[in-house]
Every structure is written in C-alpha cells, then in structure tokens.
Amino acid sequence: MYRLRFHGRGGQGIKTAGRILGTAFFRAGFEVQDAPRYGAERRGAPIFAYVRAARRPIGERGIIRRPDLVAVADDTLVTIPAAGVLAGVAPHTVLLLSSSTPAEVWRERLQLPGLLLTLPLGEVWEAAAVRFLGATLAGAAARLVGVIPREALVEAIAEELAHLGPSLTTENQVRALAAFDLLAEHAGCVSEGPEPSAAAYEPPRWVELAPEGADLAAPAIHLPATSEAVPTGLWRVVRPLVDRSRCRRCAWICSTLCPDGTISVDGDGFPVIDYQHCKGCLVCAASCPARAIRVVPERQAARVG
Amino acid sequence: MQVTAPGRALLTGNAAAAWAARLARVDYVPAFPITPQTEIIETLSAWIDAGELDCRLVTMESEHAMVAAAGAAAVTGVRVFTATSSQGLLYALEMLYAVAGWRAPLVLVNVSRGLAAPITLEPDHNDVLAARDTGFLQIHCATCQEVLDSVLMAFRLAEDPRVRLPVIVNQDGFYLSFTREPVELPDPEAAAGFVGPFDPGTLRFRASAPLSQGVAVLGGGPYSYFRYEMHLAAQAALSVYDEIAAEFAATFGRRPPPVEAYRLEDADYAFYMTGSFATRAKEAVDCLRQAGWRIGLVRPRLLRPLPEARLRELLAGKKAVAVIDQNLSLGKGGVLYAELASALYGHRGAPLLVSFIGGLGGRDLPPEEFFAMAGVLKAAAHEGAAPPPRLLFTAEELEEVHRLRAIAGAERARLKESP
Amino acid sequence: MRDKKPSFPKPLPSTHLLGTGTPMCAGCGGLQVLHEIYDLLGPKTVFVNAAGCLTLLAVYPFTPFRGGWLYTAMAAAPAGAQGVRDALDILVRQGRLPPEENLEVVALTGDGAAYGMGLSATSSAIERGLDFLYLCYDNEGYGNTGQQYSEATPHAARTATSGGPRGFMGYKKDLFAIWAAHRPAYAATVAGAEMLDLARKAEKAKSLRGPRLILALAPCPTGWDFDPQDTVEIGRLAVKTGIWPLKEYVDGRVVHTKIPRPRLPVEEYLKRQGRFAHLFEPVRQEELLKEIQAQVDAYWARVES
C-alpha cells in the first residue's frame, strides 16, 4: 500500500492535492482512501491531507503514521514540530519540498536518511503560485510514485477542479504536468512501505490510569493567557515592518485594530509588533494613516533580520 | 399539614425531596415546572417566600437552561439543587453531559415518567436511563424515606473530592411523588452537620484566580484522559458511598445500602428490579415464602456506578433471576437485563436470567404476576435455559386496546384504504 | 490632522489584556472586537461562551483569558451566565466572597447562538433582569462550520448553503430591535473598525447594571471572502454605506451615534466581498442591488424623519 501525506497551510490547496492524487490513483485502477485533516486552526494554520492507495481494498484508517512520501507546500512548516511534517519519516520515506532553497541545503539541515527533493515553485506568498499549488504538488507526487499515467492525472484534475471552469482547469493541468515532467528522473522513487507485522512489532505501553481527582483531571486551565505559548507568528508569510521615520506615534490605531493584540506601544510611543504571534493579516499596514507600516515577504525579512 | 423537622410525618416523595434540599441548606435552585415534579419546586419556593429557607430559586425558561444555570452556579461555588422529569430531563440531556464534564457537584431529583410519543404522565424508567451515560451518578429510590435520605447522601457524594460528579436521585412519579407515607425527618442541625459546608475546591470563578472551564481539547488522547477520569471518579463513588452510608447510619440510624438484598441468603430464585414497585416485590416474596418458595429480591439503588462486584456476590449460586425492566430499549429489550447479564457473564455460579418488561407508562404490577414470574423461573431452572423475554401484558389489556382502537376508527380507516 | 489626540475614554493600554496565540483566522473581526472590549472591561470578567468560532479561543491547555471563561453549549450561554451571576451574588451576600473578588459576567456568542438557537435563553435572561453583558460577534453566518447561512445572514449573500444565483433569499433578523423590545438596561451596535464609538459604548455598558447588549459586526475574511487586511475597511464601509447603523438603546430611546453623511452607495461595501460577487458578475443584478439600496435608504429615511 502507498501512504502519502501532503502538508501545508489552510488556503494552500492541500486538500485539493490529496483529492487530485486520490482520483488519479483511482483512475489508474487502485483502491483509494483520501482525507484532509483540520485542527482547530484556520486559514494560514498548518494542515495536512493524506492518500492511501493499494491494489486491494483498504482497511487501514486514520492518519498515516509511516508515510512513503511527504509532500510539503510550504517549507516554513518543516521545522515547526507542531505541524508534524517530519512525523514518522522513515529511511524509505521520500520528502518533497516546495522550496526555493536548494535540496542540498535542506539535506544538510535536516540530516534525514531518505531521499529529499525540492520543487522550486517560486515564493509561496505569490498569489499566482498559491492558486496552483495543490495541482502542482499532486502532479509531482504522481510522478514520484511512478504508477500513475499522465492521462489519469489530467483526468483527475479535470474532475476535481471542474467547478473552477475550463481555463483555470487547463492552467492547473499545465502546472501539474510541468511538475510531473520535471521529476521524470525520479519516477518510481517512492516505494510501498512495510506492512504492520503481528509477528514482530513494538507493543503499546499501556498504563493503568489512576483516579487523579477533579481538580487535576478536569479540562480546566488555572493560569492566565497561557495561549501566549503558541507561536502563531509561524502562520505568517509576509511581515509588517514599522518605519519609525514615517510613524506619527499615534499608536492607538494599529495597536487597537490588530485583531490578535500583537502590537504594544513602547515608552516613546512607537508601536512594537510581537512577531512571535503576529499572523501577518496586515490589518495594521492597511489601517495606518501615515502608511508607516511596510510589508515584506517573510523570507526576505528573515534574511534581513 | 404543617410539618416541622425533626420527627415522623406523612410526606409525599416530592415533599421528601424538598425537605432534603432544605436540610442540605442549598444556596441555589434553578427550576422549571413539569408534572409530576412541580410540587418540589413549589414547596421550596413557598419556604423561601416565607423566609424559612435562605436560598435563591430562579424559574428558567427550559430544563436545558435550568441545568446550564445549575452547573454554572455549582462551578462558581454554591450548593445547587434542581429537579425535573421525563421530557424535561431529555430536553436537558446536552447539558447533563456538559455539566458532568465540568465536574459540577450538584444534585438533581428526577421524578420518573414515561416518554412521548405517545405522551403520558405516568411513570416508567426510560427517562432516567436516557441519562445513564452522562456522568451523573444515579440513586434509585423505593420509598419516600429513601428519597430524603438519598438526596442528603447525594450531596456528600457529589461534593467528595474523590468523586466530584453530579448526582441524580430518582423516584417514581405518582407512586412516590404524589404518595404520602411516613418519613422520619432528621434534626436540621444533625442534617446540616452530616452534609457539611460546601467546598468548591479549585474549580470556581473569582477575580484572584484565573480559570478557563469546560475548554475544548484537540486529539483523542486528552479527550480519553478526561473522560476516563470521570469514569474512574464514578467508580470511586462506590467506596465513598460506603463511607458516607456508615456515617449516615451513625447519625440517623438508617443505612440505605448500595444494593438492597431481601430474604436472599437461602434463596434459589430472586427478583431483580429498581424503583418503588420493589416494595411490591418484597410483599410477593413474603407470600411466596409462605407457600414454600425459596425466593428473594435484589434491588440496586446505585445504578451509576453499578455495584457489579456486589451484584455478582449476591447472585452467585442462585438458580434463576427474574429481571423486571420498567423500561424498554426499543430493538433490544430491557436495560437492566442487559446490564446485569454483562455484569454476570463469565463469572462462576452466574444464574439464569429471565427478562420481563413491565410497568411501562405506569402499568400496574400485581402480586399474581410476581407469583407467575416465580413459576417461570422454576421452569427455566428445570429446563436449564431461559425463555424469551416476556412483556407483562394480559389478554384483558389487549381486548381493551382493541376496543379503544375500534373507537379510534383504525380498522375502518384501513378498510377504506384497501382496494 | 493626527496632531489632535483622540478623546479616548481612558489612557491607552500599552499592551493588551487578551492573550495572543489564539487559533482564530488572520484578520478575524470577532477577535478584534473582543480584544478591544476586553481592554475596557478588564480582567475581572467571566466569559460564558456558546458554540461558535470563538469557542476555540480556549483549547486545552491554552487560553487567552486572564479572568474566567466557561464554555456551555450553543443555546445555553445566557443560562450559564444566570448561574454564574446568581452564584457570585449569593457568595457576596453570604460573605463567602469578598466584593473585590466579584466578576462581571459576559455572555459571548456568535450570531448563530444570538439570533437563533440561544434567543429563547436570551429573551428569558433579559426578562429576568439578569445583570450581564451580552457580546455578540456577528459574522452573518455559521462561520465555525464553514459559513452556512444563519438568521443573521443579509439578503443576497452567498453562503455555503445559499449558493444560488441570487444568494440568500431571506433577510437579516433585527436582533437589536428584538433586544430593545425587551426594554433592557442597554443595547448597542458597534463595529471593531469604529474604535472610539465602540470604546464609548463599552464604557457605557460597563457603567450600567442589568441586561446589556453589545452587538458587533464582525467582518470575516474567510466567510465573506475578502483579504484579511481589509477587515477594518469592510467594517468602515458597512458603517459609511449605512448597512450597519451604529446606535444605542438607553433609557427607552434609540439614538444613532453616527449618521453617515453623505452615505456611500451600498455597492461600495458589497463589491469588496466575494460573498456578493454574483451581484456584479457575470452580469450585474440591478434589481437585487436596487432592493438592497432601497432598504438601506428606507431605514435612514425613518431615522432622519
């Protein structure tokens, strides 16, 4: 059985990628299971989708623990443990990153035993690229498994994206086929991973749960603002920067309007943005009467910073 | 009749419930009227208006709201009592699960009544059994005295830090709720001393202690943990109950058991049931014993947690047990039967179980039916196999239904529809 | 122009009370309103919440609140508020809670609960004279489940369950008028974008006792389909076009706190949101646009007569 996972952020076409690949497998004669997985988080937050495909009916369900392929739409997610991109990555797992950073750099950085490939699709924050990300990733994944014919991919896109109309469907097909062709030399590099063995397995470490009393064992939180431990700044793909030379220090406008309350005011009356938590909505930049808040792509900002 | 504690007085089940709430010095009663419960809140309201009870009673607009307010007040730090019945309990069902999850220690008296449709005012146990899996503990009463005693004990049980779960005390509509019988009213000081002051623990709202309550969880792991902890707390209530019962006995001289066993020691056969008709079963046991039968009664008062070990101990070695369900899980059968069967299955000396469905919608359970059920038990023991479940329903009753059906025009309507 | 300091009701906080790191969408109008109002109410509050987007503010073990929070159920927030308020009053009266430990009780719900499932509980809480503040973040649909139409959805809006050529065929329920008919202590409409108006109303609400409503328009980038940075602009346009009148009910009278003069055409508001795109493309639905404009005109004609 093939077990494949797509990772990205809400709004990057992850669910679409899963469905296109699922349908392509199905058209190629496989039994298929595909599903997206959302948490409580919303647009911009990490999500994933998964696809199983086999030549027999599939009984396995739920999230994929040992993926054969992990395809990532947004390389900023790789190093976020909560995003779970690298969860269960085994020696046979192929990692495909949509990234402008070269594959060698990633290999050096991550030190993973398996094959690591990149797909240079341009910066994710470019709206044009994002629109086709799902189909592009599906095309790339289809080539890497090596058992999906071109026609199955083309038909799957037509089926899954029919609601977008003919011209957008065609554009998606073009992008997906470009990725499909680009990875020709790696066709079939994804292999079906080992099946669970009842003869040799790691037993679960079951425990006897003890009663611990309601004060401890109720879903109640006894400290203030513990949410500040959650780095929602990782959602950000663009960064607002305060230009102090233009800022009129009215401060209350951006600080009050920031939905997440991430803008405080320093002793001199300048706004200070908490990048640990700023989600990059840009309400501040759009609302600044002095136009003193610039917007730069997060990668560029990170390099500058 | 003006009743004042302490002493022996004629009280209905509803009055006994109200008296227990008063003796427990409850702070807060969110309420909503429904037959046959309404007397409870009317009685409490009258005491409050007369200045005899220092308590706030608020009539809400529904039982859903009533239980929401009850749970919210309990986790804010006051002692809460409330009561409902039948459709009301079902309307509140979402909140029963919710407030149990908050670990809100409140006491709710349910006055059992059959569920619509067809709508009826008379009792059976489908309402309270619908709340079986909510996290509320359940004590089922057979007498008005038990209603009073159980409510007092329920506050101790709910508020015990090892338990801290809400409790339903169940009594049958009409047969207890509106029925007067002698009830021993405890001395108010002794009752207050027994129940003790309300200790909210750390789950309460105040300015100096931030608290986010009833929050969401992500993932099956934390969810399993919190839910199973509720289950463990409910199970812990078994031993806590025994402690409380011992203290209750020392204070008041009565010891309501988790499971009542009547004339069981040398018995070959037993009746197994809950609720007020169990006193009829006891009368039947006495008659049968006079006729030479070795038969007794087992009556669980605690249904959640279910005292399974105690039930196994009591029933081991019996030849056959008649499980009388005043409820019906449609498409399966009696709920008590299924639960007792699962408690006994695979254990040495487990008796044959024979399932009887009776008492639906307040239907009577006359002595002759107990005698006849005993006969079925003996035959089953002789055969070594239990017969299929039996609805307690007579030819006379069927004739009566046919007569009513004729008036309703059902046959005529069918004839008209026929080609 | 900004040299003149705005007349803010109290010194501006240099940081905000509501914790950062919540899982709300980037640019969330509901979160914006909540964080603005929380600064004014202060930490001595207990929020009683009903099912909606903001339910996920507190996900174990993370909470953004510094005071109290209780999640109830979709229909039950006002009833939960009743229980908390009554219990606090009992505790203070009995001397078991020092007055300085007392809390303001705030029901916090979306429009689904406020206009629909929880309206019976709300009506009854007002009737009982419950001393509480009801804060509704109105994003005009069941946002948490993907923006299906609710009783607060405006005429012609496309939602996940009103995708036809004319959008939602119903009309937005007038919750403010329903509250006013109950003769509460206070009721006001606000918009997060209109901070000063909101701040004044929140202060007013805080100074009164009894049932009080703050009904906040909560522009929703995800559900209304606009770029998150436009959250403030959309809110301002709702006010400037007269679609969202800013008003308050106090002492038996309804007073409009901001009369837009001149009023912008409703199109200026509608055309910025994907949920109304079908009114302009592929063909302009003149009849629907006229109907919406006429309704707004009629409203203001009544106000100004």
Side-chain angles (χ1 to χ4, degrees):
Chain A
M1 187 192 308
Y2 287 105
R3 298 175 176 88
L4 318 171
R5 261 195 347 236
F6 291 99
H7 289 263
R9 298 178 185 277
Q12 290 179 338
I14 294 306
K15 181 180 170 187
T16 306
R19 296 188 71 142
I20 291 173
L21 190 67
T23 300
F25 265 120
F26 191 53
R27 287 182 165 272
F30 283 81
E31 295 291 318
V32 169
Q33 199 187 76
D34 66 55
R37 182 82 170 204
Y38 310 97
E41 278 85 10
R42 313 304 167 86
R43 190 196 266 189
I47 69 156
F48 64 94
Y50 53 87
V51 180
R52 291 188 175 88
R55 296 287 185 186
R56 56 174 174 83
I58 298 170
E60 190 174 286
R61 289 196 183 281
I63 57 171
I64 287 173
R65 291 173 180 276
R66 293 272 175 271
D68 308 322
L69 169 69
V70 173
V72 187
D74 187 330
D75 64 0
T76 60
L77 293 175
V78 175
T79 50
I80 303 172
V85 171
L86 300 179
V89 165
H92 83 285
T93 308
V94 176
L95 187 64
L96 175 69
L97 301 178
S98 159
S99 177
S100 53
T101 305
E104 312 79 78
V105 177
W106 280 112
R107 287 186 199 118
E108 182 67 25
R109 225 182 258 176
L110 300 178
Q111 297 288 324
L112 295 174
L115 180 61
L116 188 154
L117 303 169
T118 55
L119 198 56
L121 294 178
E123 301 286 350
V124 196
W125 47 268
E126 283 171 356
V130 174
R131 276 167 90 185
F132 305 107
L133 206 47
T136 310
L137 274 185
R143 183 58 131 189
L144 296 182
V145 291
V147 293
I148 296 175
R150 270 176 90 84
E151 317 78 75
L153 176 63
V154 170
E155 287 165 11
I157 293 171
E159 189 175 328
E160 292 300 329
L161 302 181
H163 61 281
L164 297 178
S167 68
L168 271 178
T169 303
T170 308
E171 180 73 33
N172 272 287
Q173 286 165 332
V174 169
R175 301 257 184 164
L177 289 173
F180 190 87
D181 294 338
L182 187 68
L183 294 169
E185 61 170 305
H186 298 291
C189 69
V190 173
S191 58
E192 296 177 74
E195 295 300 315
S197 163
Y201 68 97
E202 194 177 329
R205 296 172 55 230
W206 285 334
V207 295
E208 295 306 321
L209 200 55
E212 303 199 277
D215 282 2
L216 291 176
I221 304 164
H222 299 270
L223 287 173
T226 51
S227 62
E228 296 193 336
V230 182
T232 47
L234 296 167
W235 297 19
R236 200 174 57 239
V237 288
V238 287
R239 179 181 294 203
L241 288 172
V242 178
D243 180 348
R244 291 201 170 204
S245 68
R246 302 184 72 166
C247 174
R248 296 179 194 155
R249 291 190 284 172
C250 65
W252 64 280
I253 293 184
C254 57
S255 176
T256 305
L257 289 178
C258 169
D260 287 276
T262 64
I263 304 179
S264 55
V265 182
D266 74 7
D268 299 325
F270 285 110
V272 179
I273 300 176
D274 165 11
Y275 293 112
Q276 277 289 307
H277 298 103
C278 162
K279 294 170 184 164
C281 70
L282 306 184
V283 161
C284 56
S287 309
C288 176
R291 304 250 164 261
I293 300 179
R294 288 190 297 131
V295 179
V296 296
E298 191 54 38
R299 282 183 183 77
Q300 193 183 321
R303 279 198 288 275
V304 171
Chain B
M1 181 181 75
Q2 185 66 37
V3 179
T4 47
R8 205 152 180 269
L10 283 178
L11 292 182
T12 62
N14 281 345
W19 263 106
R22 171 175 172 163
L23 292 169
R25 300 189 176 171
V26 296
D27 297 305
Y28 187 50
V29 179
F32 192 78
I34 181 169
T35 304
Q37 169 279 123
T38 309
E39 264 185 1
I40 299 176
I41 59 169
E42 281 182 347
T43 305
L44 289 169
S45 179
W47 286 334
I48 293 167
D49 290 342
E52 294 174 31
L53 178 60
D54 179 17
C55 170
R56 178 160 162 71
L57 183 145
V58 180
T59 301
M60 305 295 288
E61 76 286 355
S62 74
E63 291 87 353
H64 189 275
M66 178 185 90
V67 175
V75 296
T76 306
V78 298
R79 182 169 285 152
V80 181
F81 173 84
T82 188
T84 188
S85 176
S86 188
Q87 310 299 128
L89 191 72
L90 262 68
Y91 199 65
L93 193 58
E94 181 191 29
M95 292 316 300
L96 297 183
Y97 277 87
V99 304
W102 303 345
R103 311 298 294 267
L106 61 95
V107 175
L108 182 153
V109 167
N110 183 64
V111 184
S112 263
R113 170 184 145 189
L115 295 169
I119 193 160
T120 180
L121 294 177
E122 297 187 54
D124 70 33
H125 298 156
N126 261 105
D127 58 353
V128 69
L129 291 174
R132 188 185 64 168
D133 304 333
T134 56
F136 274 68
L137 309 182
Q138 291 198 4
I139 305 175
H140 288 235
C141 302
T143 65
C144 295
Q145 183 72 60
E146 270 189 31
V147 172
L148 187 143
D149 294 351
S150 300
V151 169
L152 292 176
M153 293 174 76
F155 279 108
R156 285 287 303 273
L157 204 53
E159 294 169 17
D160 190 286
R162 293 163 292 179
V163 178
R164 204 178 167 92
L165 285 168
V167 182
I168 289 174
V169 175
N170 197 66
Q171 61 164 319
D172 290 326
F174 292 83
Y175 301 128
L176 290 185
S177 72
F178 299 156
T179 301
R180 292 203 312 166
E181 56 190 23
V183 173
E184 182 74 40
L185 274 172
D187 170 65
E189 291 307 317
F194 169 76
V195 178
F198 183 77
D199 175 11
T202 61
L203 297 177
R204 79 284 185 252
F205 297 114
R206 59 201 56 208
S208 62
L211 176 68
S212 291
Q213 245 286 28
V215 303
V217 295
L218 286 182
Y223 185 82
S224 303
Y225 171 77
F226 290 126
R227 296 295 292 177
Y228 208 83
E229 280 292 330
M230 290 170 68
H231 173 60
L232 292 174
Q235 290 192 318
L238 279 177
S239 59
V240 175
Y241 181 93
D242 287 339
E243 289 175 24
I244 294 168
E247 203 182 314
F248 191 90
T251 314
F252 304 111
R254 295 181 296 280
R255 185 167 183 156
V259 182
E260 182 187 20
Y262 182 71
R263 301 188 78 170
L264 199 67
E265 295 77 22
D266 65 337
D268 294 325
Y269 305 105
F271 298 115
Y272 181 86
M273 63 189 302
T274 57
S276 60
F277 275 174
T279 58
R280 302 194 78 157
K282 282 161 66 169
E283 303 273 325
V285 164
D286 291 344
C287 288
L288 284 161
R289 288 240 167 211
Q290 276 173 17
W293 286 74
R294 297 209 293 190
I295 192 164
L297 167 78
V298 174
R299 177 177 67 96
R301 279 181 16 91
L302 274 179
L303 220 61
R304 284 294 179 271
L306 187 65
E308 290 186 294
R310 179 71 181 141
L311 294 175
R312 283 195 283 269
E313 189 187 321
L314 288 171
L315 293 174
K318 305 300 174 205
K319 288 179 178 165
V321 176
V323 182
I324 305 164
D325 271 291
Q326 291 164 261
N327 67 79
L328 184 57
S329 173
L330 309 177
K332 173 65 174 82
V335 171
L336 297 187
Y337 169 75
E339 293 218 332
L340 183 61
S342 79
L344 297 176
Y345 182 81
H347 288 272
R348 195 187 304 276
L352 281 176
L353 299 184
V354 186
S355 172
F356 295 93
I357 306 294
L360 297 185
R363 184 197 179 273
D364 201 12
L365 287 180
E368 295 75 16
E369 290 199 320
F370 285 98
F371 305 153
M373 284 190 272
V376 174
L377 290 183
K378 186 175 263 182
H382 184 73
E383 291 282 316
R390 146 111 24 228
L391 175 68
L392 303 181
F393 190 75
T394 62
E396 292 83 354
E397 286 175 297
L398 185 59
E399 281 162 24
E400 173 67 2
V401 168
H402 285 166
R403 199 178 62 77
L404 298 176
R405 211 171 62 182
I407 298 170
E411 279 88 353
R412 233 184 292 173
R414 182 198 267 179
L415 280 175
K416 264 191 245 165
E417 292 295 315
S418 306
Chain C
M1 191 183 168
R2 288 278 161 216
D3 294 338
K4 203 170 133 230
K5 283 277 176 196
S7 56
F8 214 74
K10 64 192 227 181
L12 279 165
S14 58
T15 57
H16 300 287
L17 208 50
L18 190 70
T20 53
T22 64
M24 297 304 111
C25 299
C28 174
L31 187 62
Q32 182 185 56
V33 159
L34 177 64
H35 111 82
E36 289 181 28
I37 288 178
Y38 199 27
D39 277 338
L40 297 161
L41 294 179
K44 287 190 178 185
T45 44
V46 49
F47 288 88
V48 183
N49 176 249
C53 289
L54 296 193
T55 295
L56 295 174
L57 283 174
V59 178
Y60 195 83
F62 303 116
T63 180
F65 293 95
R66 293 176 198 275
W69 161 272
L70 176 65
Y71 172 70
T72 55
M74 190 149 185
Q82 179 88 44
V84 175
R85 179 71 272 150
D86 285 341
L88 288 167
D89 289 348
I90 289 165
L91 290 169
V92 170
R93 186 175 52 77
Q94 293 178 346
R96 288 155 65 194
L97 189 75
E100 64 272 19
E101 289 277 22
N102 207 343
L103 300 164
E104 167 89 281
V105 180
V106 184
L108 174 68
T109 84
D111 51 283
Y115 286 70
M117 199 193 277
L119 188 52
S120 168
T122 305
S123 171
S124 307
I126 306 170
E127 180 276 323
R128 291 187 298 261
L130 178 63
D131 178 21
F132 79 131
L133 177 63
Y134 193 127
L135 172 57
C136 169
Y137 54 101
D138 180 357
N139 71 346
E140 306 194 320
Y142 296 114
N144 201 35
T145 47
Q147 198 72 7
Q148 297 76 26
Y149 69 77
S150 76
E151 295 172 51
T153 299
H155 190 55
R158 273 221 168 124
T159 67
T161 46
S162 60
R166 294 167 62 86
F168 180 57
M169 300 302 285
Y171 294 85
K172 188 177 176 80
K173 189 188 268 187
D174 189 348
L175 186 64
F176 179 86
I178 291 170
W179 266 76
H182 285 76
R183 304 189 160 274
Y186 185 69
T189 61
V190 302
E194 300 288 344
M195 301 168 281
L196 297 181
D197 182 72
L198 178 147
R200 197 189 58 73
K201 287 169 176 170
E203 287 289 344
K204 177 88 180 165
K206 189 183 175 184
S207 73
L208 297 169
R209 302 267 65 85
R212 292 152 284 154
L213 170 72
I214 291 184
L215 177 57
L217 184 70
C220 172
T222 312
W224 298 5
D225 190 15
F226 61 81
D227 193 284
Q229 66 176 325
D230 293 335
T231 288
V232 169
E233 185 60 11
I234 298 282
R236 282 186 185 142
L237 285 169
V239 173
K240 285 179 181 170
T241 56
I243 277 188
W244 186 256
L246 295 176
K247 53 188 169 182
E248 60 187 350
Y249 169 95
V250 61
D251 299 331
R253 285 180 51 233
V254 175
V255 178
H256 284 74
T257 54
K258 191 161 193 168
I259 297 180
R261 288 201 187 100
R263 257 187 299 120
L264 297 178
V266 292
E267 273 188 61
E268 297 299 316
Y269 172 71
L270 303 175
K271 72 184 182 190
R272 301 287 295 269
Q273 306 168 50
R275 64 175 173 155
F276 294 114
H278 59 291
L279 299 182
F280 303 97
E281 283 181 5
V283 287
R284 203 178 146 83
Q285 301 206 48
E286 204 61 58
E287 188 195 334
L288 267 177
L289 288 166
K290 275 192 180 145
E291 187 193 350
I292 296 167
Q293 184 67 61
Q295 285 200 338
V296 172
D297 291 346
Y299 177 88
W300 288 102
R302 282 197 303 277
V303 169
E304 303 200 45
S305 68

